[in-house]
Amino acid sequence: MEHLPKNALKVFRAYLVIIFAGCSLIAVTAVFTGFLRGVYGVWAELALFGVFCVSYFYFAKKYYENYRYSLNCQRIKVKKGFLFTLCYTVPLNSVMYVDIFENPLQRRYSLCTAGIVCPGAGRILISQIEYTEAERIRQYFGRVKSLGGKVEAKD
């Protein structure tokens, strides 16, 4: 199974920074509006900061290390998560099409997300992969479709 590129860890951590900024804004607003008064507001902010630090250094790295995908002549398999692991396995002949999209943060680090659409399974996402890898996956599925769902074992 293939690992994600090194830039993916930066993107995961940037997502955590954005989430932390939003949570901090909510906590600070709660302190100043009187919802969390006095010492409780300070402790809430410190607890939020502690959760952020643990998430930034530990959870993002573990998620990055456990995010894997593989593509062979019979199926595509995506495995992600570390506390709760999700594993998707889809036979190649049931793939309808592959979408490639990117957000501004992914674009900054030359990454994208490949969405593999299957009937019954919905959309399976392979996040934070390089654009050339996503194009390779799209071309591979195009070749599978053109051959009627059958691919030689040498791929």
Side-chain angles (χ1 to χ4, degrees), residues 57-81:
F57 292 108
Y58 183 72
F59 292 155
K61 185 160 179 60
K62 287 305 241 181
Y63 190 80
Y64 167 77
E65 289 171 352
N66 291 323
Y67 198 118
R68 298 177 186 194
Y69 66 96
S70 68
L71 176 67
N72 62 26
C73 63
Q74 297 173 352
R75 67 180 185 276
I76 183 155
K77 186 175 183 179
V78 179
K79 183 181 176 188
K80 57 185 172 181

mmCIF file of all heavy atoms in Angstrom, residues 57-81:
data_model
loop_
_atom_site.group_PDB
_atom_site.id
_atom_site.type_symbol
_atom_site.label_atom_id
_atom_site.label_comp_id
_atom_site.label_asym_id
_atom_site.label_seq_id
_atom_site.Cartn_x
_atom_site.Cartn_y
_atom_site.Cartn_z
ATOM 1 N N PHE A 57 0.603 17.663 17.128
ATOM 2 C CA PHE A 57 1.830 16.874 17.062
ATOM 3 C C PHE A 57 1.592 15.369 17.003
ATOM 4 O O PHE A 57 2.343 14.649 16.369
ATOM 5 C CB PHE A 57 2.737 17.193 18.257
ATOM 6 C CG PHE A 57 3.284 18.581 18.190
ATOM 7 C CD1 PHE A 57 2.824 19.556 19.038
ATOM 8 C CD2 PHE A 57 4.247 18.906 17.259
ATOM 9 C CE1 PHE A 57 3.327 20.847 18.967
ATOM 10 C CE2 PHE A 57 4.754 20.189 17.178
ATOM 11 C CZ PHE A 57 4.288 21.156 18.041
ATOM 12 N N TYR A 58 0.560 14.882 17.631
ATOM 13 C CA TYR A 58 0.379 13.432 17.729
ATOM 14 C C TYR A 58 -0.672 12.918 16.748
ATOM 15 O O TYR A 58 -0.384 12.061 15.916
ATOM 16 C CB TYR A 58 -0.001 13.049 19.163
ATOM 17 C CG TYR A 58 -0.132 11.560 19.348
ATOM 18 C CD1 TYR A 58 0.976 10.739 19.356
ATOM 19 C CD2 TYR A 58 -1.393 10.982 19.481
ATOM 20 C CE1 TYR A 58 0.851 9.368 19.503
ATOM 21 C CE2 TYR A 58 -1.531 9.613 19.633
ATOM 22 C CZ TYR A 58 -0.409 8.816 19.639
ATOM 23 O OH TYR A 58 -0.543 7.466 19.766
ATOM 24 N N PHE A 59 -1.888 13.429 16.835
ATOM 25 C CA PHE A 59 -2.982 12.889 16.026
ATOM 26 C C PHE A 59 -2.751 13.081 14.534
ATOM 27 O O PHE A 59 -2.995 12.173 13.740
ATOM 28 C CB PHE A 59 -4.320 13.490 16.431
ATOM 29 C CG PHE A 59 -4.784 13.071 17.790
ATOM 30 C CD1 PHE A 59 -5.648 13.869 18.514
ATOM 31 C CD2 PHE A 59 -4.375 11.884 18.368
ATOM 32 C CE1 PHE A 59 -6.093 13.493 19.772
ATOM 33 C CE2 PHE A 59 -4.797 11.496 19.615
ATOM 34 C CZ PHE A 59 -5.667 12.303 20.317
ATOM 35 N N ALA A 60 -2.278 14.260 14.137
ATOM 36 C CA ALA A 60 -2.054 14.497 12.703
ATOM 37 C C ALA A 60 -0.991 13.549 12.159
ATOM 38 O O ALA A 60 -1.134 13.001 11.066
ATOM 39 C CB ALA A 60 -1.646 15.949 12.469
ATOM 40 N N LYS A 61 0.069 13.338 12.926
ATOM 41 C CA LYS A 61 1.136 12.429 12.480
ATOM 42 C C LYS A 61 0.637 10.987 12.407
ATOM 43 O O LYS A 61 0.936 10.268 11.450
ATOM 44 C CB LYS A 61 2.337 12.532 13.404
ATOM 45 C CG LYS A 61 3.516 11.720 12.926
ATOM 46 C CD LYS A 61 4.789 12.201 13.559
ATOM 47 C CE LYS A 61 5.992 11.413 13.147
ATOM 48 N NZ LYS A 61 6.289 11.412 11.749
ATOM 49 N N LYS A 62 -0.138 10.545 13.399
ATOM 50 C CA LYS A 62 -0.675 9.182 13.384
ATOM 51 C C LYS A 62 -1.646 8.987 12.214
ATOM 52 O O LYS A 62 -1.638 7.953 11.548
ATOM 53 C CB LYS A 62 -1.384 8.859 14.696
ATOM 54 C CG LYS A 62 -0.441 8.649 15.846
ATOM 55 C CD LYS A 62 0.571 7.587 15.512
ATOM 56 C CE LYS A 62 0.489 6.432 16.433
ATOM 57 N NZ LYS A 62 1.484 5.415 16.125
ATOM 58 N N TYR A 63 -2.492 9.982 11.970
ATOM 59 C CA TYR A 63 -3.427 9.886 10.848
ATOM 60 C C TYR A 63 -2.655 9.804 9.535
ATOM 61 O O TYR A 63 -2.979 8.996 8.660
ATOM 62 C CB TYR A 63 -4.361 11.100 10.854
ATOM 63 C CG TYR A 63 -5.502 10.981 9.885
ATOM 64 C CD1 TYR A 63 -6.627 10.227 10.201
ATOM 65 C CD2 TYR A 63 -5.469 11.605 8.651
ATOM 66 C CE1 TYR A 63 -7.679 10.111 9.320
ATOM 67 C CE2 TYR A 63 -6.508 11.486 7.763
ATOM 68 C CZ TYR A 63 -7.608 10.749 8.101
ATOM 69 O OH TYR A 63 -8.643 10.627 7.217
ATOM 70 N N TYR A 64 -1.619 10.623 9.409
ATOM 71 C CA TYR A 64 -0.784 10.609 8.202
ATOM 72 C C TYR A 64 -0.103 9.254 8.021
ATOM 73 O O TYR A 64 -0.059 8.710 6.917
ATOM 74 C CB TYR A 64 0.255 11.728 8.299
ATOM 75 C CG TYR A 64 1.357 11.643 7.288
ATOM 76 C CD1 TYR A 64 1.146 12.015 5.975
ATOM 77 C CD2 TYR A 64 2.620 11.190 7.641
ATOM 78 C CE1 TYR A 64 2.154 11.933 5.038
ATOM 79 C CE2 TYR A 64 3.636 11.105 6.714
ATOM 80 C CZ TYR A 64 3.400 11.479 5.414
ATOM 81 O OH TYR A 64 4.396 11.395 4.492
ATOM 82 N N GLU A 65 0.433 8.691 9.095
ATOM 83 C CA GLU A 65 1.133 7.413 9.000
ATOM 84 C C GLU A 65 0.195 6.261 8.655
ATOM 85 O O GLU A 65 0.608 5.291 8.020
ATOM 86 C CB GLU A 65 1.840 7.105 10.318
ATOM 87 C CG GLU A 65 3.033 7.991 10.589
ATOM 88 C CD GLU A 65 3.599 7.821 11.986
ATOM 89 O OE1 GLU A 65 2.968 7.106 12.816
ATOM 90 O OE2 GLU A 65 4.659 8.397 12.263
ATOM 91 N N ASN A 66 -1.054 6.337 9.057
ATOM 92 C CA ASN A 66 -1.996 5.237 8.842
ATOM 93 C C ASN A 66 -2.851 5.389 7.593
ATOM 94 O O ASN A 66 -3.651 4.516 7.288
ATOM 95 C CB ASN A 66 -2.895 5.070 10.062
ATOM 96 C CG ASN A 66 -2.123 4.560 11.250
ATOM 97 O OD1 ASN A 66 -1.230 3.736 11.108
ATOM 98 N ND2 ASN A 66 -2.452 5.062 12.414
ATOM 99 N N TYR A 67 -2.725 6.480 6.873
ATOM 100 C CA TYR A 67 -3.506 6.699 5.657
ATOM 101 C C TYR A 67 -2.771 6.041 4.498
ATOM 102 O O TYR A 67 -1.668 6.433 4.146
ATOM 103 C CB TYR A 67 -3.650 8.196 5.401
ATOM 104 C CG TYR A 67 -4.763 8.568 4.455
ATOM 105 C CD1 TYR A 67 -5.810 9.357 4.885
ATOM 106 C CD2 TYR A 67 -4.782 8.151 3.137
ATOM 107 C CE1 TYR A 67 -6.827 9.721 4.037
ATOM 108 C CE2 TYR A 67 -5.798 8.497 2.284
ATOM 109 C CZ TYR A 67 -6.816 9.286 2.740
ATOM 110 O OH TYR A 67 -7.836 9.638 1.890
ATOM 111 N N ARG A 68 -3.391 5.020 3.903
ATOM 112 C CA ARG A 68 -2.767 4.280 2.807
ATOM 113 C C ARG A 68 -3.799 3.943 1.745
ATOM 114 O O ARG A 68 -4.983 3.855 2.034
ATOM 115 C CB ARG A 68 -2.145 2.991 3.318
ATOM 116 C CG ARG A 68 -1.061 3.259 4.306
ATOM 117 C CD ARG A 68 -0.510 2.014 4.858
ATOM 118 N NE ARG A 68 0.430 2.396 5.894
ATOM 119 C CZ ARG A 68 1.286 1.599 6.426
ATOM 120 N NH1 ARG A 68 1.334 0.362 6.052
ATOM 121 N NH2 ARG A 68 2.108 2.015 7.352
ATOM 122 N N TYR A 69 -3.310 3.715 0.560
ATOM 123 C CA TYR A 69 -4.174 3.261 -0.521
ATOM 124 C C TYR A 69 -3.373 2.364 -1.444
ATOM 125 O O TYR A 69 -2.149 2.445 -1.509
ATOM 126 C CB TYR A 69 -4.767 4.455 -1.282
ATOM 127 C CG TYR A 69 -3.748 5.278 -2.019
ATOM 128 C CD1 TYR A 69 -3.507 5.054 -3.361
ATOM 129 C CD2 TYR A 69 -3.024 6.262 -1.375
ATOM 130 C CE1 TYR A 69 -2.563 5.798 -4.040
ATOM 131 C CE2 TYR A 69 -2.083 7.009 -2.038
ATOM 132 C CZ TYR A 69 -1.860 6.779 -3.374
ATOM 133 O OH TYR A 69 -0.925 7.513 -4.038
ATOM 134 N N SER A 70 -4.079 1.482 -2.133
ATOM 135 C CA SER A 70 -3.421 0.621 -3.118
ATOM 136 C C SER A 70 -4.355 0.420 -4.300
ATOM 137 O O SER A 70 -5.570 0.439 -4.166
ATOM 138 C CB SER A 70 -3.029 -0.722 -2.502
ATOM 139 O OG SER A 70 -4.170 -1.475 -2.196
ATOM 140 N N LEU A 71 -3.756 0.234 -5.432
ATOM 141 C CA LEU A 71 -4.482 0.036 -6.675
ATOM 142 C C LEU A 71 -3.806 -1.116 -7.393
ATOM 143 O O LEU A 71 -2.613 -1.067 -7.667
ATOM 144 C CB LEU A 71 -4.401 1.319 -7.507
ATOM 145 C CG LEU A 71 -5.009 1.330 -8.881
ATOM 146 C CD1 LEU A 71 -6.523 1.216 -8.771
ATOM 147 C CD2 LEU A 71 -4.634 2.606 -9.593
ATOM 148 N N ASN A 72 -4.570 -2.179 -7.638
ATOM 149 C CA ASN A 72 -4.004 -3.290 -8.397
ATOM 150 C C ASN A 72 -4.988 -3.690 -9.488
ATOM 151 O O ASN A 72 -5.969 -2.995 -9.727
ATOM 152 C CB ASN A 72 -3.627 -4.467 -7.484
ATOM 153 C CG ASN A 72 -4.802 -5.052 -6.750
ATOM 154 O OD1 ASN A 72 -5.941 -4.967 -7.206
ATOM 155 N ND2 ASN A 72 -4.544 -5.644 -5.604
ATOM 156 N N CYS A 73 -4.750 -4.810 -10.140
ATOM 157 C CA CYS A 73 -5.559 -5.175 -11.301
ATOM 158 C C CYS A 73 -6.963 -5.640 -10.935
ATOM 159 O O CYS A 73 -7.797 -5.821 -11.810
ATOM 160 C CB CYS A 73 -4.839 -6.243 -12.123
ATOM 161 S SG CYS A 73 -4.594 -7.778 -11.233
ATOM 162 N N GLN A 74 -7.267 -5.814 -9.667
ATOM 163 C CA GLN A 74 -8.592 -6.292 -9.274
ATOM 164 C C GLN A 74 -9.399 -5.289 -8.464
ATOM 165 O O GLN A 74 -10.612 -5.257 -8.549
ATOM 166 C CB GLN A 74 -8.458 -7.573 -8.457
ATOM 167 C CG GLN A 74 -7.841 -8.700 -9.220
ATOM 168 C CD GLN A 74 -7.562 -9.895 -8.338
ATOM 169 O OE1 GLN A 74 -7.705 -9.833 -7.116
ATOM 170 N NE2 GLN A 74 -7.156 -10.988 -8.944
ATOM 171 N N ARG A 75 -8.726 -4.472 -7.650
ATOM 172 C CA ARG A 75 -9.480 -3.606 -6.742
ATOM 173 C C ARG A 75 -8.661 -2.391 -6.337
ATOM 174 O O ARG A 75 -7.456 -2.341 -6.529
ATOM 175 C CB ARG A 75 -9.882 -4.372 -5.498
ATOM 176 C CG ARG A 75 -8.707 -4.763 -4.644
ATOM 177 C CD ARG A 75 -9.126 -5.528 -3.408
ATOM 178 N NE ARG A 75 -8.000 -5.786 -2.555
ATOM 179 C CZ ARG A 75 -7.153 -6.787 -2.670
ATOM 180 N NH1 ARG A 75 -7.322 -7.665 -3.638
ATOM 181 N NH2 ARG A 75 -6.149 -6.934 -1.847
ATOM 182 N N ILE A 76 -9.367 -1.446 -5.741
ATOM 183 C CA ILE A 76 -8.717 -0.326 -5.077
ATOM 184 C C ILE A 76 -9.058 -0.413 -3.602
ATOM 185 O O ILE A 76 -10.190 -0.760 -3.236
ATOM 186 C CB ILE A 76 -9.130 1.041 -5.658
ATOM 187 C CG1 ILE A 76 -8.343 2.137 -4.956
ATOM 188 C CG2 ILE A 76 -10.607 1.284 -5.525
ATOM 189 C CD1 ILE A 76 -8.190 3.379 -5.762
ATOM 190 N N LYS A 77 -8.071 -0.167 -2.762
ATOM 191 C CA LYS A 77 -8.253 -0.280 -1.326
ATOM 192 C C LYS A 77 -7.741 1.002 -0.679
ATOM 193 O O LYS A 77 -6.618 1.432 -0.966
ATOM 194 C CB LYS A 77 -7.493 -1.487 -0.796
ATOM 195 C CG LYS A 77 -7.719 -1.794 0.651
ATOM 196 C CD LYS A 77 -7.007 -3.091 1.026
ATOM 197 C CE LYS A 77 -7.295 -3.455 2.454
ATOM 198 N NZ LYS A 77 -6.651 -4.712 2.831
ATOM 199 N N VAL A 78 -8.561 1.605 0.185
ATOM 200 C CA VAL A 78 -8.192 2.813 0.914
ATOM 201 C C VAL A 78 -8.371 2.529 2.394
ATOM 202 O O VAL A 78 -9.430 2.073 2.821
ATOM 203 C CB VAL A 78 -9.062 4.019 0.496
ATOM 204 C CG1 VAL A 78 -8.672 5.258 1.278
ATOM 205 C CG2 VAL A 78 -8.972 4.264 -0.990
ATOM 206 N N LYS A 79 -7.324 2.795 3.177
ATOM 207 C CA LYS A 79 -7.377 2.581 4.623
ATOM 208 C C LYS A 79 -6.942 3.866 5.307
ATOM 209 O O LYS A 79 -5.886 4.422 4.982
ATOM 210 C CB LYS A 79 -6.445 1.443 5.024
ATOM 211 C CG LYS A 79 -6.482 1.113 6.488
ATOM 212 C CD LYS A 79 -5.518 -0.017 6.807
ATOM 213 C CE LYS A 79 -5.496 -0.252 8.300
ATOM 214 N NZ LYS A 79 -4.463 -1.182 8.701
ATOM 215 N N LYS A 80 -7.772 4.346 6.251
ATOM 216 C CA LYS A 80 -7.421 5.583 6.945
ATOM 217 C C LYS A 80 -7.953 5.571 8.366
ATOM 218 O O LYS A 80 -8.854 4.807 8.696
ATOM 219 C CB LYS A 80 -7.959 6.799 6.197
ATOM 220 C CG LYS A 80 -9.445 6.799 5.962
ATOM 221 C CD LYS A 80 -9.835 7.978 5.119
ATOM 222 C CE LYS A 80 -11.281 7.888 4.706
ATOM 223 N NZ LYS A 80 -11.668 9.014 3.867
ATOM 224 N N GLY A 81 -7.343 6.416 9.199
ATOM 225 C CA GLY A 81 -7.734 6.517 10.596
ATOM 226 C C GLY A 81 -6.787 5.751 11.488
ATOM 227 O O GLY A 81 -6.041 4.892 11.040
#
